[in-house]
Amino acid sequence: MRILLTNDDGIYAEGLCALYRCLSLDHEVIVVAPEAERSAVGHAITLSVPLRVRMVRRGREFRGYAVNGTPADCVKLAFYELVGPVDMVISGINRGANVGINVLYSGTVSAATEATILGMPALAVSLDAYRQESYCFAAYFVSVLVDQVFHWSLPFPFCLNVNIPHLPPQQIKGIKFTRQGTNRLRERFEKRLDPHGNVYYWQCGEEFMEEDPETDVVALKQGYISITPLHHDLTHSEILTRLESIKISY
Amino acid sequence: MRILLTNDDGIYAEGLCALYRCLSLDHEVIVVAPEAERSAVGHAITLSVPLRVRMVRRGREFRGYAVNGTPADCVKLAFYELVGPVDMVISGINRGANVGINVLYSGTVSAATEATILGMPALAVSLDAYRQESYCFAAYFVSVLVDQVFHWSLPFPFCLNVNIPHLPPQQIKGIKFTRQGTNRLRERFEKRLDPHGNVYYWQCGEEFMEEDPETDVVALKQGYISITPLHHDLTHSEILTRLESIKISY
């Protein structure tokens, strides 16, 4: 297969490299990724400044296109200019989970969603770790998943959000197909004073309050690999049905 | 009511000011908005740099909080630090429509979605114009909508994405409750050379290919005000049902 590999941690990130190593054994893998970390950019795209592309080499591992844009920009630019359509787009492996509400903020997931909008099947892959990450098992799991997923006859194109616990493989309890958690995070802003006496705020303190066992948040916490199918239709169909009988006078 | 007003065109944008003028006649309106334009930032949030807040004055119109962040940052910071919970969050009036796939890229819509995540009802409001915009009717329409929407008994909190044609009011055909269009745009990159001979790309050429008359895209094009209820659960439930019978061997 011809696979486009991207991420939001930037082209030099270890998670992307680990995935490249594993997938390039059996597939043609082309890398188009942000030149630097672009985490939490959501589905941002770049309209007000032009995009530039550099061919970069990551040690002896691979050559790839580094773009001064967001993950969604990378997928669009790859599709329209640099690479053309591919058999699958894979975004990751992200450093840190992308479950629950964080799915909306995630550049990793938005790259995969963008691929689906453009008609290509896509995986977003994240490892639930921020320190001393080992991507070996996660990369292996993705390579296995890629080989199996086309036999599932999913409606084309599809987008799967895969989150992998950072545990020794034998401690991973299995795989759960999940829903995205929708509860808000327990979060806060830390208010500080700079050396000049001016106030600034750090956004921090994320903690999930999700308890529904069918969600990605809870499955991952329990030690399962979570796989959530995503779409890009934000319509709230239930409310839409209720609205149909309403008249607005103006 | 106590209303938080934000946008993605920045605190000095005409659309925000027009809405402030109209809404402040009947409500307490607090402005917390990006200090400069942050269009197409999607649901980006700012984690790697601290946020700063300045109280600014827009002529004789209003004082408001200007934030060096995204629309979603503004809503979070308002909720947790600057303002607290409000009765409704309104994002807009955006210069340019936010329908179809653009809903995913829109900072305007993401501010409203963020409000819903935090438990507050929200409206995202956009005017389908990029030149010689007149926000008068749109602002009037929003003030009418705000007064009526709580009588509809929508499941709380809710988020409505409102798009208004830029037509003389008597030419507007009415209101349609719509679905978000999901088809990709006809888009392209314009490849140019800078004065030093280096290639750069402009992302441009958006054109909708949507034809489904139930979508926001088509309703707006036909001269209707479109109102689409949105949610923040990206789960593709139909695919999830199909996945339940699948076994992955690894």
Side-chain angles (χ1 to χ4, degrees), chain A residues 160-202:
Chain A
L160 301 178
N161 182 32
V162 182
N163 281 272
I164 300 169
H166 195 229
L167 294 170
Q170 63 278 14
Q171 287 181 29
I172 293 178
K173 288 191 184 155
I175 297 159
K176 275 197 177 174
F177 295 109
T178 47
R179 304 192 61 78
Q180 178 215 307
T182 54
N183 282 350
R184 59 180 264 222
L185 303 168
R186 203 186 310 272
E187 57 195 346
R188 66 189 172 83
F189 286 85
E190 198 172 301
K191 190 173 177 176
R192 296 187 180 185
L193 282 184
D194 72 15
H196 314 290
N198 301 313
V199 169
Y200 63 97
Y201 298 90
W202 284 108

Side-chain angles (χ1 to χ4, degrees), chain B residues 26-248:
Chain B
D26 294 317
H27 306 283
E28 181 193 353
V29 183
I30 306 136
V31 176
V32 182
E35 62 184 4
E37 188 190 326
R38 299 298 298 265
S39 294
V41 296
H43 212 125
I45 54 173
T46 304
L47 299 176
S48 57
V49 295
L51 293 176
R52 298 208 178 240
V53 182
R54 280 184 307 132
M55 181 61 85
V56 301
R57 182 182 290 277
R58 191 189 190 286
R60 290 181 187 172
E61 301 284 356
F62 62 80
R63 282 155 48 91
Y65 298 98
V67 179
N68 66 333
T70 66
D73 288 333
C74 290
V75 174
K76 279 185 190 282
L77 196 60
F79 181 82
Y80 288 110
E81 290 285 332
L82 306 176
V83 182
V86 293
D87 299 308
M88 180 173 266
V89 175
I90 304 185
S91 177
I93 302 171
N94 192 64
R95 184 168 163 265
N98 279 307
V99 291
I101 285 303
N102 280 340
V103 167
L104 298 167
Y105 307 131
S106 164
T108 305
V109 172
S110 296
T113 318
E114 184 61 46
T116 320
I117 293 170
L118 294 171
M120 299 174 288
L123 305 181
V125 186
S126 307
L127 181 69
D128 187 19
Y130 283 101
R131 281 197 198 90
Q132 298 182 311
E133 315 91 78
S134 165
Y135 294 96
C136 291
F137 171 75
Y140 158 76
F141 179 77
V142 174
S143 69
V144 168
L145 188 62
V146 165
D147 290 340
Q148 297 184 32
V149 76
F150 283 100
H151 300 292
W152 300 351
S153 313
L154 298 181
F156 198 85
F158 55 84
C159 174
L160 301 178
N161 182 32
V162 182
N163 280 273
I164 299 169
H166 195 229
L167 294 170
Q170 63 278 14
Q171 288 181 30
I172 292 179
K173 288 192 183 155
I175 297 159
K176 275 197 176 171
F177 295 109
T178 47
R179 306 190 61 77
Q180 177 215 306
T182 53
N183 282 350
R184 57 180 266 222
L185 303 168
R186 203 187 311 271
E187 57 195 346
R188 65 188 173 84
F189 286 86
E190 198 172 301
K191 190 174 177 177
R192 296 188 181 184
L193 282 184
D194 71 17
H196 313 291
N198 300 312
V199 170
Y200 64 96
Y201 297 91
W202 283 109
Q203 201 163 155
C204 57
E206 295 177 358
E207 192 189 331
F208 285 104
M209 302 197 283
E210 197 72 56
E211 288 174 3
D212 176 351
E214 293 192 354
T215 61
D216 48 5
V217 175
V218 174
L220 188 65
K221 200 186 289 177
Q222 290 174 340
Y224 290 91
I225 295 170
S226 80
I227 301 182
T228 308
L230 301 181
H231 64 176
H232 54 272
D233 180 357
L234 303 188
T235 312
H236 196 314
S237 300
E238 187 196 324
I239 297 193
L240 184 56
T241 309
R242 289 198 196 197
L243 285 172
E244 274 158 13
S245 60
I246 285 176
K247 297 274 173 251
I248 301 173

